[in-house]
Amino acid sequence: MLSDNIWFTRIARIEASKRLLSLERQCQILLISYSLLSVCLSIIFLVKDSSQFDNVVLCLFSTVILVLSLFITNSDYKGRGVQLKENYIELQNIYFLVKDLESENKENEDPKRLKELRDEYIKLLHQTENHSTADDLRARSKQKTTRPLKENEKQQLDVMDNLSLLRVIFSWLPFVIGTIYGFKALFNI
């Protein structure tokens, strides 16, 4: 049924929007933290006698911040997340209209109106990027659906979650190393 297709698409796009907006927040926090650490290291290296190596480390750290800020800006997580949110709100409106049509008596069903709504649904599908497989799996795992997750899909979702955790760990690793390096320089450890 068309209403099922719209509902599945909507819940997956909700997950996609949440994921992108969360990535935006994480990236902004990461960028602010790296920038703050860079300023702290600059002050430490100005006050303390810094070696040529310290200056190279600071230059590399500044380069990481520059690349990170360019990547975040070009990824446009916030814009994409907001666009998906607007899309799933519009999908909700179509869902209600289709549900009303489908619940009416079959004799009174309006095939022309149903086709118009199907066309509107297809138009909305083309307005934004599609959700990822992970978004679909996550949405289906959180909702009672007619398409429950199979065992291999549950495992696939677990792998994706573990990879996300690794991404977070590795994105903070240079910050931790820089902080340790800064404390070492500050306290002559």
Side-chain angles (χ1 to χ4, degrees):
M1 294 182 93
L2 180 59
S3 61
D4 290 342
N5 289 345
I6 295 170
W7 187 80
F8 278 119
T9 303
R10 183 182 159 276
I11 63 168
R13 293 213 169 160
I14 288 171
E15 287 300 318
S17 177
K18 285 181 189 176
R19 176 180 51 84
L20 290 171
L21 293 173
S22 175
L23 273 171
E24 171 69 17
R25 271 190 309 281
Q26 291 171 22
C27 287
Q28 291 302 325
I29 290 169
L30 190 67
L31 188 57
I32 289 167
S33 300
Y34 272 48
S35 297
L36 184 61
L37 181 60
S38 178
V39 169
C40 291
L41 287 175
S42 297
I43 293 169
I44 290 169
F45 293 155
L46 282 174
V47 173
K48 296 282 187 175
D49 289 333
S50 61
S51 67
Q52 193 68 15
F53 183 73
D54 293 338
N55 295 330
V56 170
V57 167
L58 191 56
C59 184
L60 287 173
F61 210 72
S62 297
T63 305
V64 167
I65 294 169
L66 174 66
V67 171
L68 184 64
S69 65
L70 291 172
F71 176 78
I72 291 169
T73 302
N74 288 328
S75 296
D76 190 27
Y77 294 126
K78 185 175 184 178
R80 291 164 51 206
V82 167
Q83 193 176 34
L84 280 164
K85 183 176 183 176
E86 291 168 356
N87 188 265
Y88 75 68
I89 290 170
E90 290 179 47
L91 284 169
Q92 182 67 49
N93 291 333
I94 292 176
Y95 174 76
F96 288 140
L97 294 170
V98 169
K99 217 41 182 160
D100 287 345
L101 275 176
E102 289 175 348
S103 66
E104 291 177 3
N105 188 336
K106 294 287 184 191
E107 295 170 6
N108 296 331
E109 192 174 277
D110 185 357
K112 183 179 177 189
R113 180 68 178 136
L114 202 55
K115 183 184 179 332
E116 288 172 0
L117 291 171
R118 182 179 291 112
D119 291 344
E120 182 66 23
Y121 169 62
I122 291 170
K123 183 178 147 193
L124 285 174
L125 288 178
H126 291 288
Q127 279 184 353
T128 61
E129 65 185 272
N130 199 15
H131 51 270
S132 69
T133 302
D135 298 323
D136 177 61
L137 295 176
R138 195 162 283 109
R140 288 174 37 217
S141 73
K142 291 180 179 180
Q143 301 283 330
K144 237 182 188 178
T145 70
T146 56
R147 290 176 45 213
L149 292 181
K150 298 174 188 159
E151 193 57 41
N152 67 326
E153 290 174 324
K154 289 177 185 176
Q155 292 171 352
Q156 187 180 3
L157 188 58
D158 287 342
V159 167
M160 290 177 193
D161 288 343
N162 290 334
L163 288 175
S164 291
L165 179 61
L166 281 175
R167 186 191 76 239
V168 169
I169 291 169
F170 281 114
S171 62
W172 282 99
L173 192 61
F175 180 82
V176 171
I177 292 169
T179 302
I180 292 169
Y181 190 78
F183 276 115
K184 182 181 172 222
L186 183 62
F187 298 112
N188 295 322
I189 300 173

